[in-house]
Structure formats: structure tokens, C-alpha cells
Amino acid sequence: KDAGIEIYTVLLDVDTRDMDGRGQEIVDGFKKCSTNGGTTNDHFFTVAYNDDAKLKDVYHIISNALVKLRVTY
């Protein structure tokens, strides 16, 4: 992240509405890994079990963002 690398995090089979404290700690840890620490909801996503529509939407959001990137060295 410090080098300007975009990091997207997608947690599968997660329902944050029904989570105990330890589960929330795990989710928060993954949020911190993503760009912006998961604060803007554009690099961190959770997808509940069998929510195929949301998974498709998440990957669509990510792919649209990647198309806008410019690779430099």
C-alpha cells in the first residue's frame, strides 16, 4: 500500500449482521489490508453465502476500477 499499490479484499461466505466479537476482529484485520483501510468501501467487500448477484457486482466494481488504472514503472 505504501508503494501506491491498490489492494482489494473480498471476503466470501461472510454475514456481518450475525457475527461475534472474534469474527469482527478478523473482518477488521482484512479491512486494514485493503487500500484506504476499508474506510471508503471501494476496496473492501463482504459477500454472504450464496449471494451470487453481490459477488458478480463486487467483481464488476473491481474490474471497472482496474480498467482505469495506468501501469507505470
Side-chain angles (χ1 to χ4, degrees), residues 39-57:
T39 58
T40 60
N41 293 327
D42 60 350
H43 286 77
F44 176 79
F45 306 90
T46 60
V47 179
Y49 178 75
N50 267 352
D51 193 346
D52 297 337
K54 182 167 183 187
L55 182 60
K56 184 178 178 179
D57 289 343

Side-chain angles (χ1 to χ4, degrees), residues 4-67:
I5 297 170
E6 300 281 322
I7 299 173
Y8 293 87
T9 306
V10 181
L11 294 181
L12 303 175
D13 197 12
V14 174
D15 187 352
T16 55
R17 297 171 297 171
D18 189 28
M19 188 174 294
D20 63 11
R22 179 65 181 135
Q24 189 60 53
E25 287 177 22
I26 293 168
V27 170
D28 291 344
F30 277 102
K31 274 185 180 181
K32 290 176 185 174
C33 292
S34 65
T35 298
N36 300 326
T39 58
T40 60
N41 293 327
D42 60 350
H43 286 77
F44 176 79
F45 306 90
T46 60
V47 179
Y49 178 75
N50 267 352
D51 193 346
D52 297 337
K54 182 167 183 187
L55 182 60
K56 184 178 178 179
D57 289 343
V58 165
Y59 281 113
H60 184 74
I61 290 167
I62 294 171
S63 67
N64 282 340
L66 293 177
V67 167

